[in-house]
Amino acid sequence: MVTRQDPDDTPTNASRRGLFRALGRGVQGAIVQEYGRLVNANRPLGAVEETLFQRLCNHCGNCVSACPQQVLVMTDTGPVMDLTLDYCTLCTDCITACPSKALNRLAQLDTGWRPKISNSCNARAMGNCEECADDCPIGVITIEPDKLPMISDACHGCGACVSSCYIGALMMTPAEVFQRTL
C-alpha cells in the first residue's frame, strides 16, 4: 500500500483497494466534502456538486417541465430554483426527469436554501402571527412570544414558510450563509 500526501496535506490511499473504493463512490463521492454535504442552493433538488453539475447537465429542460410547482427556471447556465413565488414540495419529479444524472437521489433531498427572518416579523413585533409555523410541512419552526421564530437544523429549505408570510418578513438565503449568520 502506498500512501502519498496531497497538496492540501490530506493523506491519500493509493492502493488498488483504495482506487476501487473511490471509483465505487462515483457521483456520491463527488458530493461528500470535508465539511459534510454541501448543497447547490441555486440548482434544482438533488443537484450534484456545481463543477460536476456543469459537466453533466445538458440543459434539456426536462426538470423544468416536470416541476409541478414551477419553481425551476432555465437560464444560460442551466436550471435554477426560484422560490420567490412558490415553494418546493420535494416531490423529486425533477430528479426522475433528468436523463444526465446531474440531478440524482444520491444527493441530499435539500434545496440548499434556508429562510431568514427579518425583524419586521409580526410574531416578534406584535406576537399575533404563526403563519410560517402553521404552513411548515415538517414542523421545524417554533415561535416564542416576542421573539423571532426559530428554525431547527432539520429544515430542508422548501420555502413554504416564505410563501405563507403575508408581510414578506422571510426570504430565502443559501444554507451556508444561514449557518454563518446564526
Side-chain angles (χ1 to χ4, degrees):
M1 177 175 73
V2 178
T3 303
R4 64 180 175 81
Q5 203 74 9
D6 280 343
D8 66 352
D9 295 330
T10 307
T12 302
N13 183 354
S15 70
R16 192 177 308 183
R17 181 176 290 152
L19 170 68
F20 287 116
R21 193 175 300 130
L23 290 173
R25 284 193 301 260
V27 173
Q28 186 174 11
I31 298 167
V32 178
Q33 302 290 325
E34 183 179 343
Y35 300 107
R37 293 183 182 267
L38 299 176
V39 180
N40 271 342
N42 202 30
R43 297 295 184 189
L45 187 68
V48 296
E49 185 272 328
E50 183 62 23
T51 305
L52 184 58
F53 181 86
Q54 289 175 2
R55 296 181 83 178
L56 291 175
C57 180
N58 60 12
H59 300 201
C60 66
N62 291 357
C63 57
V64 175
S65 300
C67 181
Q69 296 293 97
Q70 299 179 348
V71 296
L72 300 180
V73 179
M74 185 59 72
T75 67
D76 292 342
T77 61
V80 295
M81 184 176 285
D82 180 6
L83 298 174
T84 55
L85 298 177
D86 211 344
Y87 63 95
C88 178
T89 60
L90 285 84
C91 67
T92 70
D93 287 356
C94 55
I95 297 172
T96 304
C98 180
S100 67
K101 302 302 179 204
L103 309 178
N104 66 67
R105 284 179 173 70
L106 295 176
Q108 284 188 337
L109 291 182
D110 187 316
T111 66
W113 294 96
R114 294 297 178 269
K116 183 175 181 182
I117 305 168
S118 74
N119 286 329
S120 65
C121 172
N122 275 350
R124 178 184 175 272
M126 302 188 187
N128 65 352
C129 182
E130 296 184 2
E131 291 295 321
C132 58
D134 291 343
D135 288 349
C136 179
I138 57 173
V140 297
I141 301 175
T142 55
I143 297 177
E144 294 179 22
D146 302 321
K147 292 185 179 179
L148 287 176
M150 298 294 296
I151 302 162
S152 83
D153 291 339
C155 176
H156 51 57
C158 70
C161 56
V162 175
S163 296
S164 70
C165 183
Y166 55 88
I167 65 164
L170 287 106
M171 63 181 241
M172 299 302 278
T173 60
E176 61 272 4
V177 172
F178 176 77
Q179 292 298 330
R180 280 190 240 126
T181 60
L182 286 180

